[in-house]
Amino acid sequence: MQQAFRAHAPRRAGGIRGSGSRLKPSVACRAASSVASKAAVESAIAWATKQGAKLEKANLSTDILTDKPILVASADVQPGESLIVVPDAAWVSVPNVAKTTVGKLASSAGLEPWLQLALVLVAERFGSAKSELAGYASSLPEDLGTPLLWSEEETRALAGTQVAGTLNSYLTFFRSTFAQLQAGLFTANPAAFPPAVFTLPNFVWAVAAVRSRSHPPLEGDKIALAPLVDLVSHRRAANTKLSVRSSGLFGRGQVAVVEATRAIRKGEALGMDYAPGKLDGPVLLDYGVMDTASPKPGYSLTLTLDESDKFVDDKADIVEGAGLRPSMTYSITPDQQPGEEMMAFLRLMNIKAMDAFLLESIFRNEVSEGNEEAVCAMLAEGARAALAGYPTTLDQDLAALRSNSTPLGSRAEAALLVRLGEKESLDAVARFFEDRRATQLKRLVYYQERRLRRLGLVDDEGRTTYDNFFKDGIA
């Protein structure tokens, strides 16, 4: 279980951080370093407009807190109205990059769509042979904010976190992919892939650009970068969303549309939640941003049925019948107790011995005191072990936050907030299960008692109802 982690109410009102936490800016949501200069943004707008994109009810402004360029509503907007429209002709997409030399070769080699886009971005930004896409590639900031591009010293601040583990996996994969490309596609086509241009740093930058600039539903096999859309700031309390609509003759074309999800007043900053289902750490890693005004801290816990469990096949059938999978990932947050589904999965994982005959959907409720005890021990001890694996303690990080020792909007602050989010969540889940183990297990009603109650053999107080049978000589 500890591997799953290395993978109850908050300690006080307002969460573990309490009222002593510094105030966060309510507007700046993209890390300052990941925002292009105003001149670069104006260049990107000019290029996209030339390709047919339109800022219908949006224009460029300046964030009063960060002095960085942002998009705001140019007029009062009603829900459903379009603010930005980008035709597919202006997208950095597989069909469009296939018109370039590098894109054609990448497509012919059968590379995945995201990889085709990344290689074309390298060529257009760093190479000498330019296409129309060079205008977009050159407008992107060199520093995209994502930890993929942080220095070694900066990434040390993430030590022990799930983000650091995922980051290392990403970098290992990208290095391996680049080595394969060098040995194959690059070597076979040296004129199209000159070594001085197609370097590992340039490749990682391009991959980070593709990841941080692509948003649902333009992802997966349909991945595309829609210029202007990536200028909308990340905000959890979003006022816009991205959709794709059919366009042109017989609806054969497509347009990416940023539309209002609520009424927006003229001059109000436009915001879009880049990843509604993700916690702050993964969003920082993928997009290089963090919304400190509406944080979503947490820890991702993956629970997997034990392959060595002699009942694993039966348990797998049960979870499949319940619409689940043998391996499930749940988000643990500081201010929410574990959900019913997670508790049910934990009970099923820990069913054994005398409880094994209960291998059916009753695991959604308390099975037995022994089963519930095992669940509490697994989560409490696993969370405490995970907390012990960080280089710093929760209290040390809280002290650092309250001391204002990290500049607002800096990478050091982002790393600190990621660490705190994970640790607060682990601490909260550990305390929840420790309290449950110490005070509630004797009070719970388990399967056997529920069954007896339904048969009328036990009353609501847990007393048997068949003692009178013997007294009256009935039995």
Side-chain angles (χ1 to χ4, degrees):
M1 186 60 195
Q2 292 181 10
Q3 292 179 349
F5 274 97
R6 275 327 282 158
H8 200 102
R11 184 178 296 175
R12 59 177 69 86
I16 291 179
R17 301 178 198 187
S19 59
S21 300
R22 65 172 125 179
L23 295 176
K24 301 293 187 294
S26 59
V27 177
C29 297
R30 179 183 286 278
S33 59
S34 67
V35 180
S37 66
K38 186 175 182 180
V41 172
E42 289 174 340
S43 175
I45 292 174
W47 179 86
T49 301
K50 183 180 178 181
Q51 308 304 315
K54 296 179 181 179
L55 292 175
E56 293 197 338
K57 289 194 174 182
N59 58 23
L60 191 62
S61 185
T62 302
D63 190 308
I64 59 174
L65 293 180
T66 65
D67 199 34
K68 296 292 182 179
I70 58 171
L71 291 182
V72 300
S74 59
D76 290 343
V77 181
Q78 297 303 310
E81 285 193 76
S82 300
L83 296 114
I84 303 171
V85 177
V86 186
D88 54 8
W91 299 355
V92 180
S93 60
V94 170
N96 288 341
V97 301
K99 300 173 185 176
T100 68
T101 300
V102 167
K104 289 177 183 176
L105 291 170
S107 178
S108 298
L111 300 183
E112 293 182 75
W114 67 268
L115 194 48
Q116 295 180 40
L117 303 192
L119 292 179
V120 170
L121 283 184
V122 172
E124 298 298 330
R125 184 179 179 91
F126 303 104
S128 57
K130 308 288 188 180
S131 74
E132 283 191 347
L133 296 175
Y136 175 74
S138 63
S139 73
L140 297 176
E142 179 181 354
D143 185 350
L144 298 167
T146 168
L148 284 168
L149 303 176
W150 289 11
S151 68
E152 185 176 341
E153 180 180 354
E154 290 168 334
T155 56
R156 276 199 291 268
L158 293 168
T161 65
Q162 289 188 313
V163 172
T166 306
L167 171 62
N168 290 333
S169 297
Y170 278 5
L171 290 174
T172 298
F173 173 70
F174 295 148
R175 292 182 187 117
S176 173
T177 300
F178 184 74
Q180 293 175 25
L181 290 169
Q182 279 185 312
L185 183 63
F186 294 177
T187 300
N189 302 277
F193 301 96
V197 172
F198 285 84
T199 63
L200 179 60
N202 289 352
F203 175 72
V204 173
W205 175 88
V207 169
V210 171
R211 185 65 195 93
S212 63
R213 262 58 189 174
S214 58
H215 302 283
L218 297 176
E219 58 183 353
D221 291 340
K222 299 179 180 179
I223 191 169
L225 314 185
L228 302 186
V229 172
D230 56 6
L231 299 180
V232 178
S233 300
H234 166 62
R235 284 180 175 78
R236 295 294 190 180
N239 54 15
T240 72
K241 68 177 182 179
L242 176 65
S243 62
V244 174
R245 303 174 185 172
S246 298
S247 68
L249 187 63
F250 305 118
R252 293 177 179 174
Q254 290 185 308
V255 291
V257 179
V258 175
E259 61 182 89
T261 56
R262 62 168 175 79
I264 304 175
R265 292 181 295 180
K266 180 180 180 180
E268 184 179 347
L270 303 185
M272 178 173 67
D273 191 341
Y274 289 180
K278 290 188 176 182
L279 300 170
D280 285 343
V283 171
L284 175 67
L285 180 56
D286 288 343
Y287 297 97
V289 297
M290 180 178 287
D291 184 352
T292 55
S294 301
K296 194 173 181 179
Y299 189 97
S300 294
L301 175 63
T302 298
L303 302 175
T304 304
L305 296 179
D306 185 356
E307 290 291 338
S308 65
D309 186 339
K310 63 181 179 179
F311 302 112
V312 67
D313 291 336
D314 296 316
K315 292 181 178 181
D317 289 341
I318 291 170
V319 296
E320 182 179 352
L324 306 177
R325 300 178 301 278
S327 183
M328 297 291 295
T329 299
Y330 297 96
S331 293
I332 300 172
T333 60
D335 55 356
Q336 289 184 328
Q337 295 183 358
E340 292 182 4
E341 183 185 288
M342 175 177 158
M343 291 296 295
F345 197 96
L346 284 164
R347 291 187 187 107
L348 183 65
M349 289 179 66
N350 285 280
I351 284 180
K352 52 192 172 185
M354 294 294 291
D355 291 330
F357 78 97
L358 299 175
L359 278 172
E360 51 180 275
S361 59
I362 59 90
F363 69 89
R364 289 193 175 278
N365 300 109
E366 291 80 0
V367 175
S368 68
E369 184 174 345
N371 178 261
E372 209 68 16
E373 163 78 18
V375 167
C376 291
M378 173 185 284
L379 270 293
E381 294 169 9
R384 291 300 178 201
L387 282 167
Y390 291 89
T392 56
T393 66
L394 174 58
D395 288 337
Q396 287 173 330
D397 284 346
L398 286 169
L401 182 71
R402 291 166 181 159
S403 70
N404 295 326
S405 59
T406 55
L408 288 172
S410 67
R411 292 176 175 179
E413 184 199 37
L416 174 60
L417 293 176
V418 167
R419 295 199 309 269
L420 272 173
E422 291 188 12
K423 293 176 185 177
E424 288 176 335
S425 302
L426 288 168
D427 183 72
V429 79
R431 287 183 292 106
F432 172 82
F433 283 102
E434 287 165 352
D435 177 73
R436 185 178 179 85
R437 189 181 191 182
T439 66
Q440 298 181 39
L441 296 192
K442 298 295 183 183
R443 305 176 186 175
L444 297 174
V445 178
Y446 299 103
Y447 174 77
Q448 300 286 17
E449 186 175 343
R450 291 196 303 272
R451 178 68 173 162
L452 291 172
R453 285 185 180 183
R454 285 197 294 269
L455 294 173
L457 298 177
V458 171
D459 62 22
D460 290 340
E461 300 300 322
R463 297 187 296 264
T464 63
T465 60
Y466 50 85
D467 287 348
N468 290 335
F469 291 0
F470 296 95
K471 292 179 181 178
D472 298 339
I474 298 175

